[in-house]
Amino acid sequence: MKIPLLLTTPLFLLFSLVQGYNNPNCDTQDHGSTLQVFHVFSPCSPFKPTKALSWEESVLQLQAKDQLRMQYLSSLVAGRSVVPIASGRQIIQNPTYIVRARFGTPSQTLLLAMDTSNDAAWVPCTGCVGCSPITPFAPAKSITFRNLGCGAPQCKQVPNPTCSGSACSFNLTYGSSTVAANLVQDRLTLATDPIPGYTFGCIQQTTGSSVPAQGLLGLGRGPLSLLAQTQNLYQSTFSYCLPSFKTLNFTGSLRLGPVQPNKLRFTPLLKNPRRSSLYYVNLVAIKVGRKIVDIPPAALALNPTTGAGTIFDSGTVFTRLVQPAYIAVRNEFRRRVGRKVTVTSLGGFDTCYTVPIVAPTITLMFSGLNVTLPQDNILIHSTVGSTTCLALAAAPDNVNSVLNVIANMQQQNHRVLFDVPNSRLGVAREVCT
Ligand SMILES: *[C@@H]1O[C@H](CO)[C@@H](O)[C@H](O)[C@H]1NC(C)=O
Ligand SMILES: *[C@@H]1O[C@H](CO)[C@@H](O)[C@H](O)[C@H]1NC(C)=O
Ligand SMILES: *[C@@H]1O[C@H](CO)[C@@H](O)[C@H](O)[C@H]1NC(C)=O
């Protein structure tokens, strides 16, 4: 089997096969309807880099990845049609957070990328040409596996289905990759919950390196998504706590279903008809220190025509604000740090300091909900040297981005609840362990 592009993208593609499973911290089982969430760089992740990267290298890598992610999200918003099982032409390069899922009978464990902005559900299958060398799903070893035929109603929900033999198959482009998959069904087990007859894509062939090594668990809310297929069980409700990537040994959790912690505060969850699987919220203002900064309302508002607005996303690392919003926040931040302190830049971060600083707080003000971010969620510190950067950035202007994206670094160590039936998103501080 060909191992794609090993030398050109060392961070994400040098695998240390199943090494994580030898670490006792990684063997704890998922229970109830709660799955452990691992950072992709965690010692438990088989996708962690084998070579330690310098702080600057990691930051620059993560930023480069975000750039692709923003392109992907912008393409979703710009796109006309709602494509169900695997959405969009551009997609994330690699996951940030992964969860364990078990497919088939007897079950086979795969580590799926978790992505709230995607409805996709697919895994590489045995014999896949061009997939990662990490163990794929073996349909032949599962007694509950079945291919879906062209006549199956689900086949009408995938983009451009074709019939090869009697099987329903589809092709799509995924970032720099192409994917050819069959639509199949098997039993899926999440934590201890069995989900019989789960419909997903079984990848037969890929080109390029964008496809997550063991598949994708989309937590979007479109047709054929996990939420759509588990209505009775989970009632389109889930929450997560994302562990900080500073404490890689920590795991977070993904809690599925209506039984959720109750100490959250809420803001309405909005739906944009242009991209119904994204989780929009109403960001009304941003406070730096005690000052509400001056942002033109249009930079924050939901606009169903353009797709503009603010989303929560688990796959982007650093929060992106559209230009006028970012500039206003950054300028006030710099003013509060002090005019005498020299500002430097690092990659896409334009507000970095090489001396210790006292940073103001940043509060995201949503309808009915203020979230004051802990310092660890707004500053990144070099572990060697002494560089500190404001971990926010302007949305890239070359992709015509109209989205503000509340990204995973800013969500770390918070419980974030997506309550679709009640159209609300909840947030509470929580240390993920
Ligand atoms: C889908 O991709 C496969 C593998 O690359 C190719 O053989 C097939 O012709 C493609 N089908 C369509 C409809 O493009
Ligand atoms: C993570 O856990 C491993 C194994 O228990 C331990 O050796 C290592 O020092 C820990 N790393 C950190 C950063 O805590
Ligand atoms: C959020 O903060 C603003 C300004 O400090 C305040 O006026 C408002 O009442 C707060 N909203 C909530 C829901 O606490």
PDB file of all heavy atoms in Angstrom, residues 342-357:
ATOM      1  N   THR A 342       6.244  46.683  22.996  1.00  0.00           N
ATOM      2  CA  THR A 342       6.382  46.434  21.563  1.00  0.00           C
ATOM      3  C   THR A 342       5.571  45.219  21.126  1.00  0.00           C
ATOM      4  O   THR A 342       5.630  44.170  21.748  1.00  0.00           O
ATOM      5  CB  THR A 342       7.870  46.179  21.214  1.00  0.00           C
ATOM      6  OG1 THR A 342       8.608  47.276  21.744  1.00  0.00           O
ATOM      7  CG2 THR A 342       8.086  46.075  19.721  1.00  0.00           C
ATOM      8  N   VAL A 343       4.814  45.419  20.051  1.00  0.00           N
ATOM      9  CA  VAL A 343       3.998  44.340  19.504  1.00  0.00           C
ATOM     10  C   VAL A 343       4.751  43.669  18.357  1.00  0.00           C
ATOM     11  O   VAL A 343       5.284  44.344  17.488  1.00  0.00           O
ATOM     12  CB  VAL A 343       2.657  44.896  18.975  1.00  0.00           C
ATOM     13  CG1 VAL A 343       1.806  43.787  18.367  1.00  0.00           C
ATOM     14  CG2 VAL A 343       1.902  45.606  20.080  1.00  0.00           C
ATOM     15  N   THR A 344       4.804  42.346  18.390  1.00  0.00           N
ATOM     16  CA  THR A 344       5.424  41.624  17.281  1.00  0.00           C
ATOM     17  C   THR A 344       4.381  40.674  16.699  1.00  0.00           C
ATOM     18  O   THR A 344       3.235  40.633  17.152  1.00  0.00           O
ATOM     19  CB  THR A 344       6.651  40.814  17.750  1.00  0.00           C
ATOM     20  OG1 THR A 344       6.207  39.852  18.709  1.00  0.00           O
ATOM     21  CG2 THR A 344       7.713  41.688  18.350  1.00  0.00           C
ATOM     22  N   SER A 345       4.780  39.922  15.683  1.00  0.00           N
ATOM     23  CA  SER A 345       3.826  38.981  15.116  1.00  0.00           C
ATOM     24  C   SER A 345       4.462  37.601  15.005  1.00  0.00           C
ATOM     25  O   SER A 345       5.672  37.435  15.083  1.00  0.00           O
ATOM     26  CB  SER A 345       3.364  39.468  13.744  1.00  0.00           C
ATOM     27  OG  SER A 345       4.452  39.458  12.863  1.00  0.00           O
ATOM     28  N   LEU A 346       3.599  36.622  14.858  1.00  0.00           N
ATOM     29  CA  LEU A 346       4.058  35.255  14.653  1.00  0.00           C
ATOM     30  C   LEU A 346       3.066  34.596  13.705  1.00  0.00           C
ATOM     31  O   LEU A 346       1.891  34.431  14.052  1.00  0.00           O
ATOM     32  CB  LEU A 346       4.086  34.490  15.984  1.00  0.00           C
ATOM     33  CG  LEU A 346       4.404  33.000  15.842  1.00  0.00           C
ATOM     34  CD1 LEU A 346       5.873  32.782  15.503  1.00  0.00           C
ATOM     35  CD2 LEU A 346       4.038  32.234  17.102  1.00  0.00           C
ATOM     36  N   GLY A 347       3.530  34.242  12.521  1.00  0.00           N
ATOM     37  CA  GLY A 347       2.611  33.674  11.537  1.00  0.00           C
ATOM     38  C   GLY A 347       1.415  34.600  11.362  1.00  0.00           C
ATOM     39  O   GLY A 347       1.573  35.793  11.165  1.00  0.00           O
ATOM     40  N   GLY A 348       0.228  34.055  11.507  1.00  0.00           N
ATOM     41  CA  GLY A 348      -0.992  34.850  11.337  1.00  0.00           C
ATOM     42  C   GLY A 348      -1.407  35.627  12.576  1.00  0.00           C
ATOM     43  O   GLY A 348      -2.399  36.338  12.549  1.00  0.00           O
ATOM     44  N   PHE A 349      -0.668  35.498  13.677  1.00  0.00           N
ATOM     45  CA  PHE A 349      -1.004  36.284  14.866  1.00  0.00           C
ATOM     46  C   PHE A 349      -0.266  37.604  14.804  1.00  0.00           C
ATOM     47  O   PHE A 349       0.961  37.622  14.672  1.00  0.00           O
ATOM     48  CB  PHE A 349      -0.607  35.544  16.149  1.00  0.00           C
ATOM     49  CG  PHE A 349      -1.382  34.277  16.364  1.00  0.00           C
ATOM     50  CD1 PHE A 349      -0.724  33.060  16.512  1.00  0.00           C
ATOM     51  CD2 PHE A 349      -2.762  34.284  16.425  1.00  0.00           C
ATOM     52  CE1 PHE A 349      -1.432  31.889  16.712  1.00  0.00           C
ATOM     53  CE2 PHE A 349      -3.481  33.114  16.618  1.00  0.00           C
ATOM     54  CZ  PHE A 349      -2.808  31.916  16.760  1.00  0.00           C
ATOM     55  N   ASP A 350      -1.006  38.694  14.948  1.00  0.00           N
ATOM     56  CA  ASP A 350      -0.355  39.997  14.801  1.00  0.00           C
ATOM     57  C   ASP A 350      -0.209  40.729  16.132  1.00  0.00           C
ATOM     58  O   ASP A 350       0.194  41.882  16.169  1.00  0.00           O
ATOM     59  CB  ASP A 350      -1.123  40.865  13.796  1.00  0.00           C
ATOM     60  CG  ASP A 350      -2.515  41.226  14.272  1.00  0.00           C
ATOM     61  OD1 ASP A 350      -2.894  40.843  15.417  1.00  0.00           O
ATOM     62  OD2 ASP A 350      -3.245  41.891  13.513  1.00  0.00           O
ATOM     63  N   THR A 351      -0.589  40.061  17.235  1.00  0.00           N
ATOM     64  CA  THR A 351      -0.491  40.726  18.531  1.00  0.00           C
ATOM     65  C   THR A 351       0.263  39.825  19.508  1.00  0.00           C
ATOM     66  O   THR A 351      -0.341  39.089  20.289  1.00  0.00           O
ATOM     67  CB  THR A 351      -1.906  41.127  19.016  1.00  0.00           C
ATOM     68  OG1 THR A 351      -2.471  42.007  18.024  1.00  0.00           O
ATOM     69  CG2 THR A 351      -1.881  41.837  20.343  1.00  0.00           C
ATOM     70  N   CYS A 352       1.580  39.868  19.370  1.00  0.00           N
ATOM     71  CA  CYS A 352       2.451  39.035  20.197  1.00  0.00           C
ATOM     72  C   CYS A 352       3.407  39.938  20.963  1.00  0.00           C
ATOM     73  O   CYS A 352       3.704  41.054  20.528  1.00  0.00           O
ATOM     74  CB  CYS A 352       3.265  38.084  19.326  1.00  0.00           C
ATOM     75  SG  CYS A 352       2.264  36.935  18.361  1.00  0.00           S
ATOM     76  N   TYR A 353       3.881  39.421  22.086  1.00  0.00           N
ATOM     77  CA  TYR A 353       4.773  40.200  22.952  1.00  0.00           C
ATOM     78  C   TYR A 353       5.920  39.303  23.379  1.00  0.00           C
ATOM     79  O   TYR A 353       5.716  38.111  23.616  1.00  0.00           O
ATOM     80  CB  TYR A 353       4.009  40.692  24.182  1.00  0.00           C
ATOM     81  CG  TYR A 353       2.823  41.556  23.828  1.00  0.00           C
ATOM     82  CD1 TYR A 353       1.564  40.988  23.646  1.00  0.00           C
ATOM     83  CD2 TYR A 353       2.964  42.927  23.649  1.00  0.00           C
ATOM     84  CE1 TYR A 353       0.462  41.769  23.297  1.00  0.00           C
ATOM     85  CE2 TYR A 353       1.875  43.718  23.306  1.00  0.00           C
ATOM     86  CZ  TYR A 353       0.629  43.139  23.133  1.00  0.00           C
ATOM     87  OH  TYR A 353      -0.442  43.921  22.789  1.00  0.00           O
ATOM     88  N   THR A 354       7.089  39.892  23.503  1.00  0.00           N
ATOM     89  CA  THR A 354       8.228  39.096  23.957  1.00  0.00           C
ATOM     90  C   THR A 354       8.623  39.437  25.390  1.00  0.00           C
ATOM     91  O   THR A 354       9.638  38.985  25.886  1.00  0.00           O
ATOM     92  CB  THR A 354       9.451  39.294  23.027  1.00  0.00           C
ATOM     93  OG1 THR A 354       9.665  40.690  22.896  1.00  0.00           O
ATOM     94  CG2 THR A 354       9.199  38.684  21.656  1.00  0.00           C
ATOM     95  N   VAL A 355       7.793  40.263  26.026  1.00  0.00           N
ATOM     96  CA  VAL A 355       7.982  40.529  27.455  1.00  0.00           C
ATOM     97  C   VAL A 355       6.701  40.113  28.159  1.00  0.00           C
ATOM     98  O   VAL A 355       5.642  40.047  27.524  1.00  0.00           O
ATOM     99  CB  VAL A 355       8.269  42.030  27.721  1.00  0.00           C
ATOM    100  CG1 VAL A 355       9.602  42.438  27.107  1.00  0.00           C
ATOM    101  CG2 VAL A 355       7.136  42.901  27.191  1.00  0.00           C
ATOM    102  N   PRO A 356       6.772  39.824  29.465  1.00  0.00           N
ATOM    103  CA  PRO A 356       5.541  39.444  30.161  1.00  0.00           C
ATOM    104  C   PRO A 356       4.510  40.590  30.102  1.00  0.00           C
ATOM    105  O   PRO A 356       4.889  41.760  30.173  1.00  0.00           O
ATOM    106  CB  PRO A 356       6.005  39.211  31.605  1.00  0.00           C
ATOM    107  CG  PRO A 356       7.478  38.979  31.507  1.00  0.00           C
ATOM    108  CD  PRO A 356       7.955  39.775  30.332  1.00  0.00           C
ATOM    109  N   ILE A 357       3.241  40.246  29.949  1.00  0.00           N
ATOM    110  CA  ILE A 357       2.204  41.277  29.870  1.00  0.00           C
ATOM    111  C   ILE A 357       1.084  40.974  30.857  1.00  0.00           C
ATOM    112  O   ILE A 357       0.954  39.849  31.331  1.00  0.00           O
ATOM    113  CB  ILE A 357       1.579  41.359  28.454  1.00  0.00           C
ATOM    114  CG1 ILE A 357       0.994  39.981  28.046  1.00  0.00           C
ATOM    115  CG2 ILE A 357       2.577  41.868  27.441  1.00  0.00           C
ATOM    116  CD1 ILE A 357       0.014  40.062  26.894  1.00  0.00           C
TER     117      ILE A 357
END
